[in-house]
Amino acid sequence: MIIDECNQINYKRTKTMKKSTLNIITLLTIITPTLSFATDQNSPANVTKKVASQNSSVKTFTILYSNSKNIAPNSFTVITGERVRLEVNPLDTASGCMNTIMVPGLWDKPEPIIKGKKIVMEFTPQHAGSYKITCAMGINRGVIVVK
């Protein structure tokens, strides 16, 4: 919103700024280079991706959250010392005590589940074992098995 020198809202300039902002966002979306990922064919529904970077590789798991199905998929296996990226794409906003997600021992910060807001958790497991995917109160949503 633009306020002119007489403390009046200048609707014409406000509308122009909104349109310009939208054009910039659209342009950035178009010109931003897209990354190509090699899909792991051993993964159910091709949800596991391996992304190579300069110093290491990151194993990426993409999870969908919905109020009706919670998280899907909800079970993952990784290797000790392997960099992991867990991406949660909420289709709904969670409510109540289940409104957060975390992986105690791997990602200890509860992340709020908000529709359309991707949650990214990156970690490198140091110890083998089973790590529950939970809400902040510890209610089980799934598991990450570290070998």
Side-chain angles (χ1 to χ4, degrees), residues 7-105:
N7 289 329
Q8 299 293 317
I9 297 174
N10 187 327
Y11 290 102
K12 185 176 180 182
R13 287 185 61 199
T14 300
K15 185 176 179 183
T16 302
M17 283 188 64
K18 286 180 184 177
K19 187 174 181 181
S20 296
T21 302
L22 182 58
N23 287 341
I24 290 170
I25 291 170
T26 304
L27 181 62
L28 288 174
T29 303
I30 293 169
I31 65 171
T32 302
T34 57
L35 299 174
S36 176
F37 299 104
T39 304
D40 181 353
Q41 296 303 318
N42 297 325
S43 168
N46 295 328
V47 295
T48 305
K49 303 171 188 173
K50 201 147 194 166
V51 182
S53 66
Q54 289 179 345
N55 298 327
S56 64
S57 74
V58 176
K59 191 163 191 177
T60 301
F61 295 96
T62 302
I63 299 172
L64 291 179
Y65 168 84
S66 67
N67 287 332
S68 62
K69 295 186 181 184
N70 206 341
I71 62 170
N74 65 357
S75 178
F76 309 94
T77 302
V78 299
I79 307 297
T80 301
E82 180 178 50
R83 190 95 180 125
V84 176
R85 179 180 173 102
L86 195 60
E87 296 179 353
V88 182
N89 293 306
L91 302 175
D92 300 309
T93 297
S95 60
C97 87
M98 296 288 280
N99 70 347
T100 59
I101 188 167
M102 60 189 289
V103 186

Side-chain angles (χ1 to χ4, degrees), residues 112-123:
I113 300 174
I114 301 168
K115 180 179 180 177
K117 183 180 177 194
K118 182 192 291 189
I119 300 165
V120 176
M121 297 178 261
E122 279 197 29
F123 48 85

